[in-house]
Amino acid sequence: MLGDDEILTVTLADSVAALRLDRALAEALPGLSRERIKTLIKGGRVADAGGTILWDPSAKTGAPATIEVRVPVAAPAHNVAQDMGLVIAYEDEHLIVVDKPAGMVVHPAAGNLDGTMVNALLHHCAGQLSGIGGVARPGIVHRIDKDTSGLIVAAKHDKAHEGLAKQFAAHSIDRRYLAIATGRPMPANGTVDAALGRSGTNRKKMAVVAEGRGKHAITHYRTVEPLKGATLVECRLETGRTHQVRVHMAHIGHPLVGDPVYGRQRKPLSDVLRNRNFVRQALHAAHLGFIHPVTGNEIALDSELPADMRELIDELRV
């Protein structure tokens, strides 16, 4: 350590002699993304063994060569770390997958400045976060609604964050939800291909909009089990848009049971929900599959339905 910098010394082998400096360093330093390394180079924080500062990320590297990279210690996050007893589905030094309960907000925002999953991760991962963009915080690459339960992944450093973000952008993440939809979808299995955008009448809601006005969105659904006045369905996301499952199922006439925004419950289903005090959309992120952004291993995780949904399904069984 020198001042507030961590000094990383890298010896570049002959195999990277033809590569750009930023790419060669990104391969040698798995905890730093290429974009982060570019920023460090342009900030005068990369030098050769003689102390000469290397300013150009695109310069070819000579090899063998010893390079010093000065990485500022990650600044502390502004959010407060809170011990909230997270349920961890998977964790290593690069990333963490949380099995989020319904009712927990993912990210602090106006009205929810603490008590969020980020606050809990700052406590759980204390000392493990090497910085996302120079800040010691978990790298959230996707979100699930406050009242949706299930699996969500976060990165512990830039390299993992960048690798996960690329997979989400390429729609290669395997995300499957279990949902209780009202009525009986026909056909029993199908695909909803409908763009989503902000509602023109309520900016807090999403809506199906004309192609070109919103973001391309595709949901594949299949019937798992018919229920009384409802159906347990699995929804596989080809894209991941805000409220996608909720809006797409409502769009085909089968809003999710308990959805306070996109659904309206009728008797006798409404009586069942009231008696059970079931006051959220019946939606659970049950499966998450991706390629580990550092090791390259396939990660496939499943989460059991929470008790409130299991008990509701039991009561609605035919």
Side-chain angles (χ1 to χ4, degrees), residues 82-189:
Q82 295 175 299
D83 185 358
M84 298 169 62
L86 291 172
V87 176
I88 308 303
Y90 175 88
E91 182 177 14
D92 61 20
E93 65 268 36
H94 308 292
L95 55 85
I96 183 170
V97 180
V98 174
D99 198 341
K100 186 187 85 67
M104 176 182 278
V105 174
V106 171
H107 205 281
N112 291 288
L113 296 178
D114 60 10
T116 72
M117 195 184 84
V118 166
N119 297 109
L121 284 173
L122 287 171
H123 178 274
H124 180 86
C125 301
Q128 303 177 53
L129 302 173
S130 64
I132 307 295
V135 179
R137 60 183 174 88
I140 306 295
V141 289
H142 69 122
R143 302 186 187 189
I144 54 180
D145 299 333
K146 172 186 175 182
D147 290 325
T148 298
S149 53
L151 299 171
I152 180 169
V153 62
K156 293 184 179 181
H157 55 69
D158 263 319
K159 189 81 169 183
H161 187 260
E162 181 182 68
L164 289 169
K166 285 181 177 177
Q167 291 181 63
F168 275 95
H171 308 308
S172 61
I173 303 287
D174 185 1
R175 298 172 67 186
R176 302 178 213 167
Y177 287 76
L178 286 174
I180 307 173
T182 56
R184 193 82 73 241
M186 293 298 292
N189 307 320

